[in-house]
Amino acid sequence: MKIIGIGKNYVSDKTEIKELKTGTQTIFTKPESSLVIGNKNIVYPKVTKQLAYEVELVIKIGKKGKDIEFEDAASYISEIAVGIDYTAKDVLSASRETKGPWALAKGFDGASPISNFKPVSNFQDLNNINFDLVINGEKKQVGNTSFMIYNFNEIISFVSSFMTLEPGDLIFTGTPASGTGLNVKGDHLQASIEGELLLDFKIV
């Protein structure tokens, strides 16, 4: 199973989308061992002192596809969840200095907590899905898929031009343009889709 992440994919002003849609998407991968399911608490990783959170919608691929056409891409989504794409920010900064890969900064154990999935049929409009993140009772991030630079169809079509997508593959589709920050031990994170609390865990 592949975990694919999309970077820098949201705007705060929809008028910016056309200018930023260059056709080249920022793609990275994360190992399956980074996944955390079942709302289990996450142990603060020893590898970093800057644990940066980004709330994201996660789409699950339901059937095999290669070179998927934009018009058909939505039919490859089986379910949707909400997750946190964690980054060891200090590790990433050090890697960038030497033009190194993102693998260690994005792929450590616990870097990809996700909620239970909801069938894609639950969502009437994939380009109008609300989600948010609350930390210690305070709303930190609010997102809507209409603010994506590249929507689900565009992501699936682009990624599948490079690699075959298979059932069970997960794609983290990007975080809202504002509100990201750092977690510390004791933080309580709660993420929702359309007001339904789905992800609920603590950093210990």
Side-chain angles (χ1 to χ4, degrees):
M1 181 258 282
K2 297 185 290 295
I3 303 174
I4 298 161
I6 312 298
K8 300 176 182 178
N9 195 36
Y10 273 78
V11 294
S12 55
D13 183 345
K14 292 180 185 179
T15 62
E16 300 173 351
I17 292 177
K18 186 177 180 179
E19 180 182 350
L20 294 173
K21 197 187 289 283
T22 62
T24 301
Q25 301 177 34
T26 301
I27 307 293
F28 57 90
T29 58
K30 297 160 76 88
E32 186 175 354
S33 55
S34 70
L35 274 181
V36 180
I37 61 175
N39 282 327
K40 293 179 182 176
N41 291 336
I42 293 176
V43 176
Y44 194 102
K46 296 178 181 178
V47 297
T48 183
K49 294 182 179 178
Q50 294 181 315
L51 183 64
Y53 63 82
E54 299 178 1
V55 69
E56 310 197 6
L57 291 181
V58 183
I59 56 177
K60 181 186 287 187
I61 299 300
K63 59 183 179 180
K64 187 173 182 177
K66 170 69 176 172
D67 291 324
I68 299 168
E69 296 292 336
F70 170 85
E71 294 78 9
D72 301 327
S75 70
Y76 286 79
I77 303 171
S78 61
E79 298 171 275
I80 298 177
V82 64
I84 307 293
D85 171 25
Y86 273 118
T87 305
K89 199 170 182 181
D90 44 1
V91 176
L92 182 60
S93 296
S95 181
R96 280 176 167 164
E97 287 181 6
T98 58
K99 297 183 179 179
W102 293 12
L104 297 180
K106 290 283 193 179
F108 54 88
D109 289 357
S112 308
I114 60 172
S115 71
N116 289 334
F117 282 85
K118 293 288 184 179
V120 70
S121 58
N122 285 18
F123 302 93
Q124 292 185 346
D125 183 358
L126 297 182
N127 295 312
N128 185 25
I129 301 175
N130 295 296
F131 61 106
D132 62 71
L133 173 66
V134 172
I135 302 178
N136 303 326
E138 181 180 350
K139 190 168 287 188
K140 292 290 189 179
Q141 288 191 275
V142 176
N144 181 281
T145 52
S146 65
F147 286 83
M148 300 174 82
I149 299 170
Y150 299 100
N151 62 29
F152 293 163
N153 283 42
E154 290 169 312
I155 291 169
I156 289 170
S157 181
F158 180 79
V159 171
S160 71
S161 70
F162 288 88
M163 62 186 81
T164 299
L165 291 174
E166 299 173 306
D169 285 350
L170 305 179
I171 303 178
F172 281 72
T173 58
T175 196
S178 62
T180 61
L182 301 179
N183 278 149
V184 296
K185 285 186 179 181
D187 279 350
H188 181 194
L189 289 85
Q190 297 173 300
S192 303
I193 302 178
E194 295 294 350
E196 181 181 0
L197 179 61
L198 296 173
L199 186 62
D200 190 351
F201 68 92
K202 292 183 178 179
I203 304 292
V204 296

